[in-house]
Amino acid sequence: MRNEEHLNARALMHWWAITAPRLGVDPRLLAAIPNGGHRHIRTAMKMKAEGVQAGMPDYFLFVPRRQFHGLAIELKAPKTGRMSEHQKEIRALLEGQGYEFCVAFGWDEARIAIEKYLGAR
């Protein structure tokens, strides 16, 4: 994860830790999926053997709302982030299974998407 994405991810999780209880949601229901980044080849091989899948979103909110089973969030750096082909494929797959999927450019877009999803906006 690039530094700008890391800073946005930290800001999102800080906001979530404060806000989730106010929304009546256990903060543990928003989880990061440690899928990207550069790793030692042995670590990458172990993770792949354990089921890591290319293109999985950065975060998943395990809260059903309306017709959706949960919210997947791909967090991108503002202005420079873009989705890979694997991410586009996973997005279509998850949406086809009844999950909402959000691509957020910066933590504030992710915040807005979560609030909207939970009905807090």
Side-chain angles (χ1 to χ4, degrees):
M1 181 181 286
R2 287 185 224 91
N3 193 48
E4 188 174 6
E5 285 183 13
H6 170 73
L7 295 174
N8 275 276
R10 281 184 38 190
L12 175 65
M13 294 311 293
H14 178 76
W15 166 82
W16 178 249
I18 294 166
T19 304
R22 293 180 191 161
L23 297 175
V25 178
D26 188 310
R28 296 172 292 182
L29 292 174
L30 178 63
I33 300 172
N35 212 29
H38 298 284
R39 294 181 173 80
H40 188 277
I41 187 69
R42 287 187 186 164
T43 302
M45 289 172 57
K46 283 181 182 180
M47 290 178 74
K48 185 169 180 111
E50 292 170 359
V52 168
Q53 298 288 323
M56 283 294 161
D58 295 314
Y59 291 94
F60 194 84
L61 180 59
F62 293 88
V63 177
R65 284 292 188 270
R66 300 172 312 281
Q67 75 271 23
F68 299 110
H69 305 305
L71 173 63
I73 303 168
E74 180 60 37
L75 184 62
K76 296 293 184 189
K79 299 179 184 171
T80 60
R82 60 188 168 124
M83 297 242 312
S84 71
E85 287 305 312
H86 286 295
Q87 290 169 332
K88 291 174 186 176
E89 291 170 7
I90 292 295
R91 177 183 191 162
L93 183 63
L94 291 176
E95 288 176 338
Q97 293 297 312
Y99 296 93
E100 186 158 354
F101 195 104
C102 162
V103 180
F105 293 90
W107 82 269
D108 198 49
E109 282 190 17
R111 174 191 63 82
I112 291 167
I114 291 169
E115 289 176 341
K116 183 178 175 187
Y117 179 80
L118 293 174
R121 286 195 132 241

